[in-house]
Amino acid sequence: MTDELTPETPDEDEQPIKQRKNGLYPGVSDELAASMKSGWADTELRDLEPIEQAPNAAARRAALSARFPGERLVIPAGNLKTRSNDTEYDFRASTEYVYLTGDQTDDSVLVLEPNGDAHDATLYRLPRSNRENGEFWLNGMGELWVGRRNSLAESEALLGVPCKDVRELADALADATGPVRVVRGHDAGIETALADKVTAERDEELRVYLSEARVVKDAFEIGELQKAVDSTVRGFEDVVKVLDKAEATSERYIEGTFFLRARVEGNDVGYGSICAAGPHATTLHWVRNNGAVRSGDLLLLDAGVETNSLYTADVTRTLPINGRYTDLQRKIYDAVYEAQEAGIAAVKPGANFRDFHDASQRVLAEKLVEWGLVEGPADRVLELALQRRWTLHGTGHMLGLDVHDCAAARTEAYVNGTLEPGMVLTVEPGLYFQADDLTVPEEYRGIGVRIEDDILVTEDGNLNLSAALPRRSDEVESWMAGLKG
């Protein structure tokens, strides 16, 4: 990475040149400055078509407008975050902003201005870099440094929303009157401009509404989730094909293999991949991925591709690294499979959200009693939640733009709610016997199994979006043998 120029923008009139402390050039000559102003082709993009989700985003904004009539609504995309010194993390726009616009541009802000019983939507964004004052090449975020961005006119054509310069927004908001709500936590500058106009309670109501609006997915979202799952299935196949190389290195070979598929077919991974081999499989969110991969152990791979529109899959398989489960591994795996089957069967419209969790947990409790690991009967185990020593987590969650989607929704609209067609959720029971758990026989210790699939609630039941990835133990072995062969 080169480091010659300052990330600060020169003033349009004075054009001061401020460079990094140890930059190699002492300044910019008048002749060079004049040269950089001219000789550039017109690159404006014309006759652009709206992005695919533009009409869906418009419908979502209309619903939001109807929910908060007469109020100014401010939804920021967020800003870049520093990773170290003058380098930034890859930008990921806020879920609320993406949901309402289909856009992913940093520093952008959606503002809905009240207009009678409706709202006028405006996107505030950075325009093309200024070539007259040298911003495009002297600013560390100028286009010669980080790449071209869309002009305001191009953005309007793509997104179907009028666009203005975001650098004018803070002053406009500071002068605004009337009720205002903002989605907090993404843009400190915007929040400062609105500090005396908003309340935490009212802003939370906006955040909760936008979370609950995503509970039922539209056709575009379901299509994107299926794309994410399909790419994820191919990523799991990639991993199986290179398990010998992972054995020669570490879990990071698995992580890197899956990441390649995610970056080639999508935007990224939707969350840190869990590539947990051996006893690491008993750690729910093992993302260090620096452990050994050994023949005879299990690999718990929990990973998901995020599409270019930012919808993510979330799939888990627990695979025998050498291609064959031992008798004990198979017994534990088959128990989790049976629990998942019971959970998936409980996913249907009109059912309580908790039903699939309860169905899965009952199977696991019965197995733990059957194996003599906990005193029964199963009803007693479930009443006291004793199975949680080995099942640990809930059996599933909503899925969408966030891997744990709709997290701010009210409890009565989520875990205490009712399933509806268009909801997408995971079903992911597991059993985890910690390496230091003296309450189980020694041969159980260090074995962790989770099976997770992405389930769409349909009009008459459910659809397993990730059904292309084998689940039954014998099918997993056959699938792995075919890929390795």
Side-chain angles (χ1 to χ4, degrees):
M1 173 178 283
T2 54
D3 66 350
E4 299 302 333
L5 301 174
T6 175
E8 299 183 20
T9 304
D11 180 83
E12 190 164 353
D13 296 322
E14 299 179 6
Q15 299 189 26
I17 304 302
K18 299 178 182 178
Q19 70 177 67
R20 291 187 176 90
K21 182 177 180 180
N22 290 301
L24 296 177
Y25 288 105
V28 176
S29 67
D30 292 343
E31 291 79 5
L32 176 58
S35 171
M36 294 299 287
K37 289 182 181 181
S38 61
W40 304 102
D42 177 11
T43 60
E44 183 74 7
L45 302 176
R46 297 172 176 85
D47 301 321
L48 293 173
E49 295 294 326
I51 60 174
E52 184 180 357
Q53 63 265 49
N56 302 74
R60 298 165 193 163
R61 292 193 299 272
L64 174 62
S65 172
R67 172 62 180 81
F68 297 102
E71 303 186 47
R72 180 177 285 101
L73 308 174
V74 182
I75 301 93
N79 315 123
L80 293 171
K81 290 181 172 59
T82 299
R83 180 181 185 273
S84 175
N85 188 26
D86 57 356
T87 61
E88 292 81 24
Y89 288 104
D90 288 343
F91 179 71
R92 203 284 192 181
S94 74
T95 290
E96 296 87 353
Y97 178 83
V98 173
Y99 180 72
L100 293 168
T101 67
D103 183 42
Q104 301 176 31
T105 309
D106 57 285
D107 295 328
S108 300
V109 184
L110 171 67
V111 178
L112 271 62
E113 295 280 353
N115 182 1
D117 293 332
H119 286 80
D120 294 327
T122 303
L123 275 179
Y124 288 84
R125 304 162 49 89
L126 282 172
R128 295 288 307 279
S129 293
N130 190 319
R131 296 190 181 230
E132 284 300 310
N133 69 2
E135 174 194 354
F136 83 109
W137 73 289
L138 294 174
N139 186 314
M141 290 297 160
E143 293 183 7
L144 284 192
W145 288 92
V146 298
R148 185 189 190 278
R149 55 180 176 254
N150 290 120
S151 69
L152 297 183
E154 291 168 351
S155 297
E156 288 185 358
L158 290 168
L159 304 172
V161 185
C163 295
K164 294 183 179 179
D165 190 334
V166 71
R167 291 171 292 192
E168 304 169 357
L169 180 57
D171 289 342
L173 292 177
D175 295 335
T177 58
V180 184
R181 298 179 192 255
V182 63
V183 177
R184 300 191 181 199
H186 302 301
D187 193 317
I190 295 301
E191 290 178 36
T192 298
L194 293 171
D196 61 343
K197 306 176 190 302
V198 297
T199 67
E201 181 180 2
R202 288 163 51 79
D203 291 347
E204 181 64 10
E205 288 175 353
L206 173 60
R207 188 172 80 103
V208 168
Y209 168 80
L210 288 172
S211 197
E212 293 182 9
R214 303 197 309 275
V215 166
V216 175
K217 269 58 181 178
D218 60 33
F220 171 81
E221 293 179 292
I222 293 169
E224 289 301 294
L225 286 167
Q226 186 66 71
K227 287 181 189 176
V229 168
D230 292 344
S231 290
T232 298
V233 169
R234 289 187 284 272
F236 274 69
E237 292 172 348
D238 296 339
V239 167
V240 171
K241 292 175 182 177
V242 300
L243 282 176
D244 58 332
K245 294 183 174 62
E247 287 187 60
T249 51
S250 75
E251 295 163 339
R252 290 196 174 173
Y253 203 97
I254 296 167
E255 178 183 354
T257 298
F258 187 84
F259 179 70
L260 177 61
R261 176 67 65 173
R263 285 292 281 166
V264 168
E265 296 194 0
N267 177 63
D268 205 331
V269 291
Y271 53 95
S273 298
I274 298 167
C275 308
H280 289 162
T282 66
T283 300
L284 294 185
H285 290 164
W286 177 260
V287 293
R288 299 177 196 173
N289 298 335
N290 58 3
V293 179
R294 299 185 179 94
S295 178
D297 284 347
L298 297 176
L299 167 67
L300 190 157
L301 178 58
D302 183 336
V305 172
E306 177 186 78
T307 65
N308 289 319
S309 63
L310 304 188
Y311 287 85
T312 185
D314 182 8
V315 177
T316 307
R317 291 293 184 269
T318 306
L319 310 173
I321 292 169
N322 64 9
R324 298 286 296 180
Y325 296 100
T326 67
D327 289 344
L328 179 59
Q329 289 169 351
R330 188 184 305 275
K331 181 176 83 167
I332 296 170
Y333 183 95
D334 288 349
V336 174
Y337 172 78
E338 185 178 332
Q340 194 200 27
E341 282 283 274
I344 293 174
V347 175
K348 53 190 174 184
N352 295 325
F353 182 89
R354 293 180 179 271
D355 286 353
F356 74 91
H357 168 72
D358 293 342
S360 292
Q361 291 293 298
R362 174 164 290 278
V363 171
L364 295 178
E366 290 170 349
K367 295 295 182 181
L368 292 168
V369 171
E370 176 187 327
W371 299 340
L373 302 183
V374 63
E375 181 182 348
D379 285 340
R380 169 185 172 272
V381 174
L382 292 167
E383 180 182 357
L384 301 175
L386 300 178
Q387 82 283 359
R388 289 185 63 186
R389 180 181 179 101
W390 302 284
T391 65
L392 298 179
H393 55 82
T395 309
H397 53 80
M398 294 290 188
L399 186 67
L401 280 168
D402 289 330
V403 65
H404 298 139
D405 207 26
C406 314
R410 294 167 299 162
T411 301
E412 58 266 32
Y414 193 159
V415 296
N416 289 341
T418 302
L419 296 181
E420 301 176 44
M423 291 182 175
V424 180
L425 52 93
T426 67
V427 178
E428 51 173 315
L431 282 173
Y432 312 91
F433 299 103
Q434 306 301 318
D436 58 350
D437 188 349
L438 302 181
T439 69
V440 300
E442 184 175 0
E443 60 267 26
Y444 283 70
R445 299 173 198 166
I447 295 178
V449 174
R450 180 164 66 251
I451 311 171
E452 178 180 20
D453 285 88
D454 300 342
I455 310 297
L456 167 68
V457 183
T458 62
E459 294 290 342
D460 56 358
N462 69 69
L463 175 66
N464 185 348
L465 300 180
S466 44
L469 205 56
R471 290 186 297 129
R472 212 173 63 199
S473 57
D474 59 334
E475 293 175 342
V476 169
E477 291 175 334
S478 297
W479 169 70
M480 292 182 68
L483 290 171
K484 286 185 173 185

